[in-house]
Amino acid sequence: MFCPLCFAFQNFALGKGDEEVISTLQNFAKSVGELNSLHSELANQMADSMVFPLIQFREKDLTEISTLKEIFGIATDEHEAAMVKYSRLPKKKENEKLKADLVKEVAYTRRKQHQASLQYYCALNALQYRKRVAMLEPMLGYTQAQISFFKKGIELVSKKMDTFLSSVSNMMQNIQTQLDSEAEAMRMSQKELLSADDAIYMPDKDSEPVNRTLIQKAGYLNIRNKTGLVTTAWDRLFFFTQGGNLMCQPRGAVAGGMVLDLDNSSVMAVECEDRRYCFQITSPSGKTSMILQAESQKEYEEWICTVNNISRQIYLTDNPEAVAIRLNQTAIQAVTPITSFEKRQEGSPNPDRAKPGGIPPAGSDSQKSGAGPEPEDLIAPGTPIQFDIMLPASEFQDQNRGGGRRTNPFGETDDDSKAASDDSLLQQVFAVRFLGSMAVRCGNNREVIYEAMRQVLAARAIHNIFRTTESHLMITSSSLRLIDPQTQVTRISFQLEEVCQFAAHQENGRLMGFVVEGIDWSDGNGEGEPSFSAFVFESNTEGEKICYTINLAKDITEAKKDPEALAELMKNMPLTNDGKFLLLEPETGDTDDGAGPEDLESEA
């Protein structure tokens, strides 16, 4: 079956053979100079052999081209109108019948546009041959009339031109033969192409895999434009990349213009007006941004990957394609995502360095010289990353057994647990989104948190994992708990003394993370070795506030050991009516209505 993608590789002879016609016309010009004195006697013969073919070429062939061009324009407008309707399909409340009707309409208009374009292009190709005939035939008739009409000098004329004229006649026959062959081949190609299944014309039916190493991309996208203070409009335009710039060429324009400089820009998926496949490109300064919509999932992912590759300025290297492929392969090998808390059995490539002892001690030469730790000293290469916290079914049943008792993020529990809640002097809840966690090699260095953030965000970008689930992070004076806002079930909890390091991102203030210390019993020596895990979150508020709350919780824990220190701390901090430390208002009011949390897009 003929593939539509092969259409781009068809041999359309738009300008082939013009050189031979030009050289032939130059030879004609030399002979015509000798026959100019006899033009008056050849008027009638010239009208039949020279003027008539030109008039026929103009009125028949050129009129046909103009008509086919208008038909192609009408088919293109109908396809554009169908694509506008299809692009407005809602994502959340899909009407299957409406969607099916629009998909059929898009397929029908694409088939119609394709057929009209094929007829138009075939006519253009045929015109190239007829153009040569239309230029040669009048000159041939004119010259033959001159030779047949004038007997004077017939020997001189015939000796010079017999061979030349016969070669011109043979050339015209060859051109006509090529025209017939080309027309037959195109008819067969049209027959095979138009007999193909409608699925190849349907949007979002791509069978090719996503290419994540592109450094150039072109195609139609919908761009959102503001038409008023609160109103917006979407326009379907042709976009393409050129070097480090994003270009746009409206319909009918001769050339495209620059829209945005992509060097060091950022790109991310966004939810916009209930439309699918939307992404946002933001300039390095953050002052300029645009929201675009792709036609399919494949185009959506390839545009995001292409802009991401261009923003790294890969196109400036000597072999950008090879650099993009190498970076993509290296990133995929370095980051292996998992989606459960099951422990990998393979272990790290170097088990000795994976232990805390692999980090040079505080008094080592490397730290004395002021050099920072290398990334492989903080996190073992190839360490798997967990992107979600999956609560085992047995644990879920245990937490909800006994009358369906749940853990409330604001500390409001049943009477039998009231005593435990009164012991906590601090209870603060933050709305966060879990981005990922991974094993690290140390817990006494903030750089390990920054490196974990970098690897987690890079892994999410490489594997196109943009959606996250909102949770409640409860910080008390004794523990940290991550709670499901819908079921109030604790997904995971840590004792405060297990949290050995915490920090907010230096540039993106909404990112924060902490390191938890545990015991690894896999060595089987009966004592266990210290192990460390880093957890990365994105919050709705500043990460520094969460870090401040954790630090205050640790201060309270230390102050509990000394009654005087605890009294001094309580004197300096405002308290609630029930004697707890007053920090911030709860941030989870939007999700306390009992509705289930929806998957959100990470802005990290």
Side-chain angles (χ1 to χ4, degrees):
M1 184 176 63
F2 188 82
C3 175
L5 296 177
C6 302
F7 181 78
F9 303 100
Q10 292 299 302
N11 180 23
F12 297 111
L14 297 180
K16 186 175 63 177
D18 287 346
E19 295 81 3
E20 298 177 2
V21 175
I22 293 174
S23 62
T24 304
L25 291 176
Q26 291 174 349
N27 292 331
F28 269 120
K30 297 178 183 178
S31 302
V32 168
E34 302 176 1
L35 304 174
N36 286 334
S37 60
L38 305 175
H39 287 170
S40 58
E41 299 180 16
L42 300 176
N44 295 331
Q45 194 168 0
M46 287 172 56
D48 296 334
S49 60
M50 181 177 179
V51 178
F52 177 72
L54 291 175
I55 295 176
Q56 188 179 28
F57 174 76
R58 183 190 63 187
E59 296 181 354
K60 179 181 178 181
D61 298 327
L62 296 183
T63 303
E64 179 185 6
I65 290 294
S66 300
T67 303
L68 291 175
K69 182 179 179 181
E70 293 177 0
I71 295 175
F72 173 69
I74 294 173
T76 301
D77 293 336
E78 292 178 355
H79 174 250
E80 290 295 327
M83 283 305 303
V84 170
K85 294 180 182 178
Y86 176 78
S87 299
R88 292 174 178 172
L89 275 175
K91 178 180 178 183
K92 296 180 180 178
K93 297 181 181 179
E94 288 191 352
N95 188 329
E96 294 298 329
K97 183 178 183 305
L98 177 61
K99 180 179 180 181
D101 293 342
L102 290 180
V103 168
K104 290 181 181 178
E105 183 179 354
V106 171
Y108 170 74
T109 55
R110 282 189 176 176
R111 177 186 285 273
K112 184 177 179 181
Q113 182 195 29
H114 205 170
Q115 186 174 5
S117 64
L118 288 176
Q119 293 175 351
Y120 179 48
Y121 298 153
C122 290
L124 284 175
N125 292 334
L127 183 65
Q128 311 307 314
Y129 297 98
R130 295 194 181 104
K131 174 188 67 177
R132 297 180 226 166
V133 174
M135 289 188 291
L136 295 176
E137 186 177 2
M139 300 306 301
L140 179 61
Y142 171 78
T143 307
Q144 288 177 339
Q146 293 277 14
I147 295 174
S148 63
F149 184 79
F150 295 104
K151 295 182 179 179
K152 185 179 179 179
I154 189 65
E155 295 181 0
L156 178 63
V157 174
S158 61
K159 287 180 181 179
K160 289 184 177 181
M161 301 191 67
D162 274 347
T163 304
F164 174 66
L165 294 179
S166 62
S167 65
V168 174
S169 299
N170 293 333
M171 180 188 299
M172 292 178 56
Q173 294 177 1
N174 292 334
I175 293 174
Q176 186 64 39
T177 302
Q178 294 177 14
L179 171 60
D180 296 338
S181 175
E182 183 76 15
E184 181 63 25
M186 288 306 303
R187 279 194 293 268
M188 295 300 297
S189 299
Q190 290 183 49
K191 184 178 179 180
E192 292 182 18
L193 184 61
L194 298 177
S195 63
D197 189 9
D198 286 342
I200 63 176
Y201 294 98
M202 293 181 180
D204 208 6
K205 296 289 184 182
D206 301 301
S207 58
E208 297 292 329
V210 177
N211 188 352
R212 306 181 188 280
T213 61
L214 295 175
I215 57 172
Q216 288 184 339
K217 182 71 177 172
Y220 279 94
L221 296 172
N222 291 334
I223 181 172
R224 190 181 73 163
N225 296 318
K226 288 188 176 181
T227 58
L229 294 177
V230 294
T231 58
T232 58
W234 293 81
D235 297 324
R236 190 166 183 261
L237 302 175
F238 184 80
F239 288 84
F240 61 95
T241 61
Q242 189 175 66
N245 300 324
L246 179 64
M247 314 288 287
C248 175
Q249 183 172 351
R251 289 186 60 189
V254 178
M258 191 184 80
V259 178
L260 189 65
D261 185 2
L262 298 179
D263 287 344
N264 299 317
S265 64
S266 61
V267 58
M268 67 178 184
V270 294
E271 294 286 347
C272 185
E273 298 182 7
D274 196 22
R275 287 192 173 222
R276 299 177 296 174
Y277 313 136
C278 293
F279 59 96
Q280 177 175 311
I281 305 176
T282 307
S283 62
S285 62
K287 297 180 179 179
T288 304
S289 64
M290 62 175 57
I291 295 179
L292 304 170
Q293 180 190 17
E295 176 181 320
S296 63
Q297 180 71 24
K298 177 176 178 289
E299 290 290 307
Y300 163 77
E301 295 185 15
E302 285 189 350
W303 270 106
I304 291 178
C305 293
T306 302
V307 174
N308 190 33
N309 291 336
I310 294 177
S311 67
R312 301 180 185 178
Q313 300 182 349
I314 296 177
Y315 65 93
L316 297 177
T317 59
D318 295 334
N319 192 351
E321 291 82 2
V323 173
I325 294 174
R326 185 170 64 254
L327 288 177
N328 184 65
Q329 291 176 347
T330 302
I332 292 178
Q333 293 172 359
V335 183
T336 306
I338 59 176
T339 57
S340 69
F341 263 150
E342 297 178 2
K343 184 177 179 182
R344 283 288 183 98
Q345 299 297 327
E346 297 87 13
S348 59
N350 190 346
D352 295 335
R353 293 191 62 187
K355 300 178 182 179
I359 299 294
S364 62
D365 295 337
S366 62
Q367 293 192 1
K368 288 182 179 180
S369 61
E374 295 295 331
E376 57 268 19
D377 294 331
L378 301 173
I379 301 176
T383 300
I385 296 177
Q386 177 175 316
F387 293 129
D388 197 4
I389 298 177
M390 306 298 293
L391 186 65
S394 59
E395 186 174 340
F396 179 86
Q397 294 173 359
D398 292 341
Q399 292 192 33
N400 289 276
R401 189 174 297 146
R405 192 177 66 189
R406 296 179 175 178
T407 302
N408 192 301
F410 297 101
E412 299 173 0
T413 58
D414 293 337
D415 294 338
D416 56 344
S417 60
K418 183 177 181 180
S421 64
D422 289 341
D423 292 338
S424 178
L425 297 176
L426 172 68
Q427 284 188 350
Q428 183 67 29
V429 177
F430 296 91
V432 297
R433 288 174 291 279
F434 177 73
L435 299 182
S437 64
M438 60 192 310
V440 297
R441 287 176 164 170
C442 67
N444 58 353
N445 193 335
R446 286 194 173 187
E447 295 297 328
V448 72
I449 299 179
Y450 302 146
E451 179 63 21
M453 291 178 179
R454 187 192 67 80
Q455 292 197 20
V456 167
L457 294 179
R460 281 183 168 267
I462 291 171
H463 298 285
N464 288 332
I465 305 175
F466 300 111
R467 295 191 178 276
T468 57
T469 304
E470 185 168 291
S471 302
H472 292 168
L473 178 63
M474 173 185 282
I475 303 175
T476 69
S477 57
S478 59
S479 65
L480 272 66
R481 286 187 291 170
L482 195 65
I483 300 172
D484 189 318
Q486 181 182 11
T487 63
Q488 302 304 313
V489 172
T490 300
R491 292 184 172 181
I492 191 172
S493 63
F494 304 102
Q495 294 300 314
L496 195 60
E497 57 268 17
E498 296 176 353
V499 181
C500 55
Q501 190 63 256
F502 49 90
H505 197 275
Q506 295 171 317
E507 297 179 359
N508 188 347
R510 299 177 65 178
L511 289 179
M512 67 82 55
F514 55 81
V515 178
V516 177
E517 181 177 0
I519 300 297
D520 184 6
W521 302 96
S522 60
D523 293 342
N525 56 6
E527 297 181 357
E529 293 289 339
S531 63
F532 302 93
S533 300
F535 293 80
V536 180
F537 295 89
E538 180 185 30
S539 64
N540 291 344
T541 182
E542 293 294 330
E544 289 291 346
K545 295 181 180 179
I546 302 179
C547 295
Y548 170 77
T549 307
I550 297 176
N551 186 65
L552 177 61
K554 284 185 169 291
D555 290 343
I556 295 174
T557 301
E558 292 296 325
K560 284 181 179 179
K561 301 176 183 179
D562 185 357
E564 296 182 358
L566 180 59
E568 184 67 23
L569 181 62
M570 296 180 66
K571 184 185 302 182
N572 296 331
M573 293 293 297
L575 301 178
T576 61
N577 295 331
D578 55 357
K580 297 178 182 179
F581 285 91
L582 178 62
L583 296 177
L584 301 170
E585 292 297 326
E587 302 175 357
T588 58
D590 296 338
T591 58
D592 288 340
D593 54 358
E598 298 181 357
D599 288 343
L600 304 175
E601 296 285 350
S602 174
E603 300 180 2

